[in-house]
Amino acid sequence: MTEQQILDLLASNLIWVLLAILIFVVIFKGIQIVPQSEQYVVERFGRLRAVLGPGINFIVPFLDVVRHKVSILERQLPNASQDAITRDNVLVEVETSVFYRITQPEKTVYRIRDADAAIATTVAGIVRAEIGKMDLDDVQANRSALITTIKAAVEDAVDNWGIEVTRAELLDVNLDEATRAAMLQQLNAERARRAHVTEAEGKKRAVELEAEGELYAAEQTAKARRITADAEAYATGVVAKAIADNGLEAAQYQVALKQVEALNALGSGPSSQTVLVPAHALEAFGNAFNMLKGKS
């Protein structure tokens, strides 16, 4: 087929070719494939027509135009620092970070020009207002509650912009050098006071324990004496009963037993090699041995 023949064929079928191209363009313009992480804002003659979600969407070609492609992923604002004054007139520098995502793109694109700057300004104002209601010690001690309050206030402020605040963080609270030095001095003084109090309480407790120990020792000594006295009273009662039952013989037997025990104690000492006993003592010991022998 020659070139002239090809041109003649196109000329005779020009209408069909143009029609095919038009159909292809219409299909291409009418189908919109939206990624999972985005939403498309569609306008018709300059007015909001629809918001296309993820997947395949159909629009009217040449009438509907995708004007804005909005990411719905969570975003983080750059860390921002702002000065604030507490209720007790202490200047602090607060560093914050905010996470958010767009939930209604039609509100975000038509109601606010720069969402990041607007949120940052809102956060700065709310942080200053909330910290101004608290003392410095409360700011440090109730940081979690302060973060919750700031997040709730920011959510209320940006609700009309189709934005959801997912998280707000209070990263740091910095003080000027003069305030930091004063707080450090106060902290050292408080530690010294606690150390003195602890030392005084320790001394007091030591005295109490020592007194309790002495009282316990006295109680135990008295108890031991009472037991010894009871034992001696019991022994005396037994001896008295024996004397009453057996007469003088029982008394002499007890005396002889004590004499023999005393002699054994003298002879069993580690340093006692020679024991000197008076002559009348030997006679008494002899009588004692005779009594014990006769008793046994």
Side-chain angles (χ1 to χ4, degrees), residues 145-164:
L146 180 59
I147 290 174
T148 303
T149 302
I150 292 174
K151 180 178 180 295
V154 174
E155 286 178 346
D156 292 339
V158 303
D159 183 61
N160 290 331
W161 301 338
I163 294 174
E164 177 188 4

Side-chain angles (χ1 to χ4, degrees), residues 4-55:
Q4 184 62 37
Q5 290 176 340
I6 294 175
L7 292 176
D8 292 341
L9 180 62
L10 290 176
S12 60
N13 296 291
L14 181 60
I15 296 177
W16 296 106
V17 172
L18 294 177
L19 183 60
I21 294 174
L22 179 61
I23 292 174
F24 176 78
V25 171
V26 168
I27 294 175
F28 180 78
K29 286 284 190 179
I31 296 177
Q32 294 292 329
I33 300 177
V34 181
Q36 181 67 39
S37 60
E38 294 183 351
Q39 290 186 356
Y40 290 176
V41 178
V42 177
E43 293 182 356
R44 177 179 295 179
F45 300 121
R47 298 186 60 182
L48 175 64
R49 175 65 179 84
V51 177
L52 306 182

Side-chain angles (χ1 to χ4, degrees), residues 13-296:
N13 296 291
L14 181 60
I15 296 177
W16 296 106
V17 172
L18 294 177
L19 183 60
I21 294 174
L22 179 61
I23 292 174
F24 176 78
V25 171
V26 168
I27 294 175
F28 180 78
K29 286 284 190 179
I31 296 177
Q32 294 292 329
I33 300 177
V34 181
Q36 181 67 39
S37 60
E38 294 183 351
Q39 290 186 356
Y40 290 176
V41 178
V42 177
E43 293 182 356
R44 177 179 295 179
F45 300 121
R47 298 186 60 182
L48 175 64
R49 175 65 179 84
V51 177
L52 306 182
I56 298 178
N57 296 271
F58 298 96
I59 60 175
V60 178
F62 306 109
L63 298 181
D64 296 339
V65 179
V66 176
R67 190 68 64 187
H68 303 281
K69 297 180 179 180
V70 181
S71 173
I72 58 175
L73 294 176
E74 187 173 359
R75 311 179 189 185
Q76 178 185 5
L77 290 179
N79 296 347
S81 298
Q82 54 266 347
D83 294 334
I85 300 177
T86 62
R87 186 170 57 184
D88 50 354
N89 295 324
V90 177
L91 179 64
V92 296
E93 183 181 359
V94 183
E95 185 176 358
T96 58
S97 180
V98 176
F99 297 80
Y100 76 95
R101 65 186 185 91
I102 296 175
T103 57
Q104 296 177 298
E106 66 276 13
K107 292 184 179 181
T108 306
V109 298
Y110 293 121
R111 294 186 179 181
I112 189 71
R113 182 179 297 275
D114 188 347
D116 288 356
I119 295 175
T121 303
T122 303
V123 170
I126 292 174
V127 167
R128 290 191 181 98
E130 292 299 326
I131 290 182
K133 301 176 183 178
M134 307 173 66
D135 294 333
L136 179 61
D137 293 340
D138 296 334
V139 174
Q140 299 287 359
N142 301 318
R143 182 174 296 188
S144 178
L146 180 59
I147 290 174
T148 303
T149 302
I150 292 174
K151 180 178 180 295
V154 174
E155 286 178 346
D156 292 339
V158 303
D159 183 61
N160 290 331
W161 301 338
I163 294 174
E164 177 188 4
V165 177
T166 57
R167 187 170 56 178
E169 295 292 340
L170 196 63
L171 301 179
D172 201 2
V173 179
N174 298 316
L175 306 174
D176 58 88
E177 292 300 328
T179 305
R180 192 186 302 273
M183 291 185 64
L184 181 60
Q185 184 177 1
Q186 181 182 2
L187 180 61
N188 292 333
E190 178 64 19
R191 288 177 177 173
R193 185 189 67 81
R194 291 181 181 178
H196 288 311
V197 170
T198 303
E199 183 180 1
E201 290 179 349
K203 292 181 178 178
K204 177 183 177 182
R205 184 57 181 165
V207 173
E208 292 176 351
L209 291 176
E210 184 178 359
E212 290 178 359
E214 293 176 356
L215 178 61
Y216 178 77
E219 290 176 351
Q220 294 301 316
T221 301
K223 184 178 180 181
R225 289 178 179 176
R226 184 170 62 252
I227 294 175
T228 302
D230 292 342
E232 291 178 353
Y234 176 77
T236 302
V238 171
V239 172
K241 186 176 184 303
I243 293 173
D245 293 340
N246 301 312
L248 186 60
E249 261 185 51
Q252 292 175 344
Y253 175 78
Q254 290 294 327
V255 173
L257 182 61
K258 294 296 183 180
Q259 289 175 346
V260 173
E261 290 176 355
L263 181 61
N264 289 334
L266 289 174
S268 63
S271 61
S272 300
Q273 302 298 328
T274 302
V275 180
L276 298 178
V277 181
H280 64 277
L282 291 175
E283 183 179 355
F285 287 133
N287 295 331
F289 278 116
N290 292 329
M291 291 182 65
L292 291 175
K293 184 177 179 181
K295 196 71 175 177
S296 60

